[in-house]
Amino acid sequence: MAQLSDDCFAFGGPMMSVDEAVGLITTRVNAIVDLEAVALVDADGRVLARDVAAPLPLPPFTNSAVDGYALRNADLPESAARAFPLDGRIQAGGVAQAPIRPGHTARIFTGAPMPPDADTVFMQEDVRIDESGRIVLPPGLKRGANVRPAGEDIPQGHVALRAGQRLRPQHVALAAAFGLTGLEVVRRIRVAVFSTGDELASPGEPRSASQLFDSNRFMLMAMLRRLGCDVSDLGILRDERTSLANGLKQVAGHHDLILTTGGVSTGEEDHVKAAVESIGSLVLWRMAIKPGRPVAMGIIGGTPLIGLPGNPVASFVTFVHVVRPTVLALAGGLPEPLTPIPLRAAFTYRKKAGRREYVRASLRRAQDGALEAIKFPREGAGLLSSLVETDGLVELGEDITNVEPGQDVGFLSYAGLL
Ligand code: AMP
Ligand code: MG
């Protein structure tokens, strides 16, 4: 399990910027070191545990990039077209029986190995076949044209996949191209998730008139699974210090991270803070971010705890900036900074300097073809519809105080966050 020191999340200032939060997590959270082997088909989304050097060059042999005609470039005429007699035929998966005779050309297909001595391929679209079946080749094709040399993609021995890489389908494809059947990855990060609040009922259970169904827990569990975590669903804990403390103590030893939602403001009915303090250490990170509320960062017996705010949108946004880097750091993953894509704002907005704000927005193609961000019309941090009906978040940096229609802003697509 993760073992972090009690002062792991200590922080001096009154307010913390998003960058400070991510920096602190990245430098102070130690990676777990347990590895496991997985078959390629199960490798997507996992964090690679060791560098992978290419055991063979890619492509493994020099081959034709097109369907066409192979020849020695030196045989090509300098100015006029010339007819070449055919000598040989090589299909993908086949081999040339002999070198091409001087002044001849061989029929070749995409992916077929180049015959010895041949160094150039004409695309079949660029040639003509004369009455006697000879191939008429125009002048001027460069040596090496339409040929894929062995190792042009990746030379043998090159470190092609780095430890810490979160594997995506293209990384799995590369491992398969090397002939590997599996990869060594970091074991899944185990996360215990629970909600707090007497006003919450679990879907499937009776709901009293003053209760709402717990939605955050399902959102957070889904987000964690997208990050490759093994999730334990611990349900809803009541707003009561002793039962919270007991619940937390029980799970701490068996998980790498505890994630809670709700109950971390400073109100007298917010008991998570007091419960964690009674069995471990806790600091409140007041982040200069909107939507957002203080995020509780605790350690219980070496296990980190993150307490997210209860409002669904605040919970979503703080997950992205605090939980996501923590999970990556625990898994020893390379940092994956979020990169907002510039596009055009189609809204007006005012904000305070010194705070980063995220505006829920949908994308629209404007009349001139440019991509525009349309702000969701309402702002409440409790509006789940604002997450459901938009495509992502416009990120307005600390320096910005004012957005006018037509201005360039940075956009983070939901698809790129997890
Ligand atoms: P809290 O952070 O506990 O003060 O909660 C802030 C708001 O978020 C309150 O209106 C809560 O009812 C709501 N809330 C808290 N937890 C959840 C949850 N798990 N699902 C949906 N809403 C929640
Ligand atoms: Mg509450």
Side-chain angles (χ1 to χ4, degrees):
M1 294 304 127
Q3 278 296 317
L4 303 184
S5 66
D6 275 353
D7 61 354
C8 174
F9 297 127
F11 174 72
M15 267 282 177
M16 180 184 259
S17 72
V18 177
D19 290 342
E20 278 172 316
V22 174
L24 206 143
I25 289 165
T26 314
T27 49
R28 298 211 197 142
V29 171
N30 305 324
I32 58 162
V33 291
D34 308 342
L35 315 181
E36 63 190 28
V38 290
L40 283 194
V41 70
D42 297 318
D44 183 42
R46 305 298 300 271
V47 173
L48 188 64
R50 298 187 202 285
D51 289 352
V52 175
L56 76 175
L58 289 184
F61 53 91
T62 301
N63 67 91
S64 176
V66 296
D67 287 355
Y69 297 88
L71 78 167
R72 275 182 208 83
N73 195 268
D75 289 352
L76 273 178
E78 282 198 356
S79 46
R82 210 181 84 198
F84 283 66
L86 255 187
D87 179 26
R89 186 175 195 280
I90 315 115
Q91 287 165 243
V95 275
Q97 297 308 317
I100 305 173
R101 278 176 285 165
H104 287 62
T105 183
R107 184 77 170 116
I108 195 164
F109 296 90
T110 307
M114 290 292 283
D117 301 348
D119 55 16
T120 302
V121 179
F122 274 88
M123 282 173 75
Q124 61 191 23
E125 292 83 349
D126 295 339
V127 311
R128 186 169 65 74
I129 302 179
D130 72 10
E131 328 61 65
S132 49
R134 291 178 308 174
I135 315 302
V136 181
L137 303 178
L141 195 60
K142 280 206 196 94
R143 187 167 179 271
N146 300 314
V147 174
R148 302 188 282 215
E152 79 159 356
D153 185 4
I154 297 177
Q156 184 165 7
H158 174 74
V159 177
L161 294 172
R162 291 268 171 206
Q165 173 69 54
R166 189 145 62 105
L167 298 169
R168 297 182 185 282
Q170 56 269 41
H171 304 113
V172 178
L174 190 57
F178 290 152
L180 304 176
T181 56
L183 287 167
E184 271 200 288
V185 298
V186 180
R187 74 153 166 78
R188 289 187 190 279
I189 302 302
R190 295 176 194 139
V191 188
V193 181
F194 59 84
S195 302
T196 71
D198 292 343
E199 79 281 29
L200 301 175
S202 265
E205 287 174 359
R207 180 188 68 85
S208 75
S210 60
Q211 284 186 313
L212 45 96
F213 286 120
D214 176 2
S215 55
N216 287 357
R217 184 159 46 97
F218 294 90
M219 176 176 75
L220 298 174
M221 290 194 296
M223 291 172 101
L224 287 166
R225 292 184 74 150
R226 285 201 173 203
L227 293 177
C229 299
D230 224 348
V231 178
S232 309
D233 179 1
L234 298 176
I236 300 165
L237 296 190
R238 295 295 144 210
D239 269 333
E240 195 272 305
R241 199 183 90 176
T242 321
S243 71
L244 273 169
N246 288 341
L248 290 169
K249 228 172 24 198
Q250 269 175 25
V251 296
H254 315 287
H255 292 87
D256 303 301
L257 174 66
I258 303 169
L259 183 62
T260 73
T261 167
V264 291
S265 306
T266 39
E268 52 194 86
E269 288 301 326
D270 292 318
H271 300 285
V272 173
K273 182 169 171 283
V276 177
E277 278 169 340
S278 72
I279 51 172
S281 67
L282 183 134
V283 286
L284 277 187
W285 282 4
R286 286 173 210 286
M287 295 176 62
I289 181 175
K290 186 187 168 191
R293 299 281 305 163
V295 175
M297 304 295 290
I299 302 288
I300 301 169
T303 303
L305 171 141
I306 301 178
L308 297 181
N311 268 315
V313 183
S315 196
F316 184 93
V317 170
T318 48
F319 181 99
V320 169
H321 291 104
V322 179
V323 181
R324 178 182 182 274
T326 304
V327 166
L328 264 183
L330 283 169
L334 299 168
E336 295 183 18
L338 298 169
T339 36
I341 306 296
L343 48 71
R344 196 159 77 190
F347 59 88
T348 305
Y349 196 79
R350 305 267 174 273
K351 71 179 266 298
K352 279 192 205 152
R355 177 164 88 180
R356 195 183 289 185
E357 298 202 11
Y358 288 92
V359 176
R360 288 145 272 169
S362 318
L363 296 180
R364 175 179 73 186
R365 187 70 67 184
Q367 294 240 308
D368 64 358
L371 211 49
E372 285 185 339
I374 319 287
K375 181 181 166 300
F376 189 76
R378 291 174 295 151
E379 290 186 10
L383 303 173
L384 264 180
S385 61
S386 68
L387 292 174
V388 170
E389 293 172 18
T390 53
D391 300 306
L393 303 170
V394 168
E395 181 179 280
L396 301 175
E398 286 79 354
D399 298 342
I400 295 175
T401 53
N402 187 15
V403 178
E404 294 298 337
Q407 190 173 323
D408 262 357
V409 288
F411 181 78
L412 293 169
S413 163
Y414 295 138
L417 294 178
L418 299 165

